[in-house]
Amino acid sequence: MSGDIPYSGPSFRDSALVTLDELRAGTTQAPAGTTAYEVKPGDNLTKIAQENGYASVEELLANNPQYAERNPDLIYPGEVVFVPAAQDPQTRAEEAAQAHSESVANGEPNVDGSDQKFYNQASSHAAGLAQTTDETAQAWIEAKEASASHSARVANGEPNVSGSDQHLYNQAANGASTEFETAAQAEIELGSRTFAASNSPEDRASAAIEAGEGIAQRLEAQGLPEAAARVRELAQQQAEQIRNEG
């Protein structure tokens, strides 16, 4: 989820409009395999479909039944459109392991059951990286908030709050940021190496961006939009580095 643009369009029946507040409250659920895209000024459904992996507007509408009750040519900033969810490296590794296991069980030719351990190891490794990214993201946000809170308390002249301690809070926040970025970069790199369509720089760069988007969406689902935004930046940087190295 991105956020948050206040919805300022006309009133619709509940079934004809989706907002982030509804998703967070649990009154509306995203269709399986999708995530929330918050409409921005200048958007239209054709543009959103083209930029988010839909083959057509009709395919988008199939995942967005709210438009069956209104004119889909008129959308408004702050409402939600459901778009395909990107997969993070953990999810892709888990699905690869499951698919190989099923192929072995079905007796498919040229599928070696002895390879299953490698798929399982890859899945376990990806899960460990994801856990580290999630934990360090949360720690970074908490450290940033603690630093900002201490600074505000000093500025307000609160008793028993020493401005000389601010550097300790800043150091903690900077250290937490470094740990988070290191963890996220490792997870993005895994995606770029493991799930690229080929070993070409462009394919590996695209895989890095896709991995970053999957990680970012996972963090947004945990209520960490700032961490998600940073992951997208890191993925773009890593993709650019891959292209430059050739």
Side-chain angles (χ1 to χ4, degrees):
M1 297 179 192
S2 56
D4 287 339
I5 301 172
Y7 177 72
S8 57
S11 296
F12 292 103
R13 288 191 294 177
D14 288 347
S15 58
L17 176 69
V18 179
T19 65
L20 286 181
D21 287 342
E22 293 175 4
L23 292 173
R24 289 168 178 155
T27 56
T28 300
Q29 300 293 325
T34 70
T35 190
Y37 173 86
E38 193 173 31
V39 174
K40 301 175 181 61
D43 278 344
N44 58 65
L45 291 187
T46 299
K47 175 175 179 285
I48 293 171
Q50 291 173 343
E51 293 180 353
N52 288 277
Y54 282 117
S56 64
V57 173
E58 289 71 25
E59 186 179 359
L60 180 152
L61 292 174
N63 277 328
N64 290 273
Q66 66 270 28
Y67 295 113
E69 303 181 36
R70 48 183 278 212
N71 183 353
D73 292 329
L74 298 176
I75 61 174
Y76 303 91
E79 68 175 295
V80 160
V81 176
F82 295 116
V83 299
Q87 289 186 317
D88 63 359
Q90 177 186 8
T91 301
R92 294 196 64 170
E94 289 174 348
E95 290 187 354
Q98 180 63 30
H100 186 269
S101 177
E102 291 175 356
S103 295
V104 172
N106 293 333
E108 294 185 15
N110 303 318
V111 178
D112 188 350
S114 64
D115 290 341
Q116 187 64 45
K117 63 182 179 182
F118 299 113
Y119 285 88
N120 293 343
Q121 288 170 356
S123 178
S124 178
H125 177 58
L129 291 180
Q131 181 177 356
T132 301
T133 298
D134 293 352
E135 290 176 349
T136 55
Q138 184 66 53
W140 171 49
I141 296 302
E142 291 175 354
K144 278 192 65 177
E145 291 175 348
S147 179
S149 174
H150 186 269
S151 178
R153 293 173 67 193
V154 171
N156 291 334
E158 291 188 18
N160 302 318
V161 178
S162 174
S164 63
D165 291 339
Q166 186 63 47
H167 73 285
L168 300 176
Y169 285 88
N170 295 343
Q171 287 175 358
N174 290 337
S177 173
T178 299
E179 291 181 359
F180 163 59
E181 291 184 3
T182 299
Q185 286 168 334
E187 197 175 358
I188 294 167
E189 182 180 1
L190 175 66
S192 70
R193 288 188 291 104
T194 309
F195 300 113
S198 74
N199 199 39
S200 72
E202 189 55 42
D203 280 346
R204 288 189 291 116
S206 296
I209 293 173
E210 182 181 354
E213 181 59 28
I215 297 164
Q217 290 181 10
R218 189 183 73 222
L219 292 172
E220 285 175 336
Q222 298 172 44
L224 299 171
E226 188 172 358
R230 184 59 183 139
V231 165
R232 290 187 174 99
E233 292 173 355
L234 293 171
Q236 290 288 346
Q237 292 170 9
Q238 195 151 329
E240 189 63 27
Q241 181 178 347
I242 291 170
R243 294 186 181 103
N244 290 338
E245 290 175 352

